[in-house]
Amino acid sequence: MKVRDPRLVLNFLHDRNHVLPLGIVYLTDKCNSRCVMCDYWKNGNVFLSIEQAGQISSRFDALSTRWVLLSGGEPLLHPQWGKIADVLSGGKRSLWLLTAGLSLKKHASEVIDKCENITVSLDGATPDVYESIRGLDAFDEVCAGIRAVVKQGRRVSIRCTVQRRNFRQLPELIDLAHDLGVDQISFLAIDTLTHAAFARKDAIKADLSLAPEDLPEFERILCELTSRSRSDFETGFIAESPAKLMRLHQYFSAMHGLANFPQVKCNAPRFSSVFTADGFVQPCYFIEPEEKARDVNAAVMSSIRRDIRSGKRAECNTCVCSMYRSLPSFVTG
């Protein structure tokens, strides 16, 4: 066994990124959804320029980046998103699109041409629940967009943010994912505690998280899913294991002081970084550096990675979207 790039070992030993397997790039902070848990649609007005994309691409070259996640805001709102995607790819990197899906049908052919993977955020299994969360009557349009790219053989996954308005629909969301023909569905808890990933300027509405009286019903739903969807867990169609899915219940219980928050194991800043639409860099979606930087190895970035490793970042203790990758996962035979 040998490491694809020996420099990657140094990422795991020190607080400097010698390689960057995954780069996450906000093409814009504008959005055409009106989500109750996010304020990009209220505050976003920046588009990544071709020049900035070229600068980021050059950094990806130097850091041997293999994957680029096109994110936002809504990346498909960028009027030159296809050209930006080409620049970021540089003809050597694979592209992965994270989208709310409202513009997916319109751009389906170009998305299929440029992106190997597509992840669609979908928080309701019915038009009414979707609209109550996303703020628009667009459920059918999003589903049509998903079907359009699935039909062409692209790998598509659905990501659902679990909250008070949709937790009862988890079984229906899994059924919908099957009906749409996607490869996988994943679930994460709504984050009401941090603001960096959602452009929020004010405290989030209190009624979006599960209430104490919801917890017994949510636990019952999760337990029933363990047996009802056993094959989906076994095949990985549901991305989380039953045990990891049950951590959602623990998380919402902890919000009310009824449990400890699930232990977070994350080293995402060791193998990825987030580039915002104005060209600055963050260690992850949820942490904004105290000083703006454009270099993944700026002093402030290395300091944050050191603090994350030593458990000094409070945001990490309640993170809803932690990622952990071991060095062997980056190894090929």
Side-chain angles (χ1 to χ4, degrees):
M1 303 287 281
K2 59 182 179 180
V3 179
R4 287 191 177 108
D5 190 324
R7 294 175 297 166
L8 185 60
V9 176
L10 299 176
N11 285 26
F12 287 77
L13 296 177
H14 306 291
D15 298 310
R16 179 180 177 84
N17 280 350
H18 297 264
V19 292
L20 190 73
L22 171 64
I24 302 165
V25 185
Y26 288 14
L27 270 59
T28 178
D29 60 2
K30 291 181 70 66
C31 192
N32 51 358
S33 294
R34 293 175 169 264
C35 300
V36 293
M37 62 279 195
C38 181
D39 285 346
Y40 274 118
W41 62 277
K42 295 180 182 178
N43 303 317
N45 57 16
V46 179
F47 293 98
L48 185 72
S49 69
I50 296 288
E51 180 183 5
Q52 288 169 330
Q55 293 169 355
I56 294 171
S57 185
S58 294
R59 294 177 205 141
F60 288 163
D61 287 342
L63 292 166
S64 302
T65 300
R66 301 198 308 268
W67 277 92
V68 178
L69 175 63
L70 308 177
S71 185
E74 172 51 60
L76 296 180
L77 281 185
H78 196 300
Q80 295 179 292
W81 83 264
K83 187 172 183 179
I84 293 281
D86 289 340
V87 171
L88 292 171
S89 168
K92 66 191 77 169
R93 287 176 281 276
S94 298
L95 298 179
W96 175 11
L97 174 68
L98 176 59
T99 175
L102 275 74
S103 302
L104 189 55
K105 182 180 178 182
K106 175 182 177 182
H107 296 283
S109 60
E110 195 170 11
V111 167
I112 292 162
D113 180 59
K114 297 183 183 300
C115 302
E116 288 193 25
N117 289 352
I118 300 110
T119 297
V120 182
S121 297
L122 183 60
D123 297 332
T126 54
D128 57 333
V129 172
Y130 175 92
E131 185 174 1
S132 74
I133 295 171
R134 294 279 167 170
L136 297 169
D137 179 12
F139 175 80
D140 291 337
E141 186 69 16
V142 172
C143 290
I146 293 172
R147 293 186 193 278
V149 290
V150 166
K151 184 178 180 180
Q152 297 301 316
R154 277 292 173 257
R155 178 173 174 80
V156 182
S157 60
I158 288 174
R159 187 187 68 177
C160 175
T161 301
V162 180
Q163 53 190 283
R164 197 176 194 194
R165 302 183 186 194
N166 69 2
F167 77 91
R168 295 179 179 86
Q169 286 203 328
L170 263 62
E172 287 79 11
L173 280 158
I174 294 168
D175 291 341
L176 175 63
H178 278 295
D179 182 61
L180 292 172
V182 303
D183 294 273
Q184 190 176 65
I185 184 169
S186 64
F187 299 94
L188 72 161
I190 187 172
D191 181 352
T192 62
L193 300 177
T194 61
H195 297 318
F198 308 100
R200 293 195 293 252
K201 298 185 183 299
D202 303 307
I204 197 169
K205 295 178 180 178
D207 66 343
L208 296 184
S209 180
L210 271 65
E213 58 267 27
D214 299 322
L215 295 172
E217 183 180 5
F218 186 44
E219 183 175 26
R220 176 185 59 77
I221 291 170
L222 292 174
C223 289
E224 290 177 356
L225 274 181
T226 300
S227 58
R228 173 191 184 272
S229 299
R230 182 174 299 149
S231 63
D232 289 333
F233 287 113
E234 292 173 350
T235 62
F237 183 79
I238 299 175
E240 296 77 19
S241 66
K244 189 171 183 180
L245 206 59
M246 191 59 72
R247 284 164 59 96
L248 297 176
H249 183 272
Q250 182 182 349
Y251 181 88
F252 288 120
S253 297
M255 291 286 294
H256 302 288
L258 301 174
N260 295 322
F261 280 99
Q263 185 175 5
V264 173
K265 188 177 184 181
C266 180
N267 61 0
R270 302 276 160 188
F271 58 83
S272 65
S273 290
V274 174
F275 295 81
T276 61
D278 49 9
F280 294 106
V281 64
Q282 300 178 183
C284 70
Y285 278 112
F286 299 92
I287 298 178
E288 289 179 330
E290 291 74 14
E291 303 170 13
K292 286 186 177 295
R294 296 186 185 274
D295 183 353
V296 298
N297 288 314
V300 66
M301 291 287 288
S302 295
S303 176
I304 291 173
R305 284 191 287 268
R306 181 169 57 251
D307 287 345
I308 292 172
R309 175 171 51 82
S310 57
K312 294 181 179 178
R313 296 295 305 206
E315 305 99 316
C316 298
N317 297 328
T318 58
C319 185
V320 299
C321 192
S322 59
M323 290 196 300
Y324 180 83
R325 298 291 184 272
S326 64
L327 183 59
S329 70
F330 291 101
V331 170
T332 182

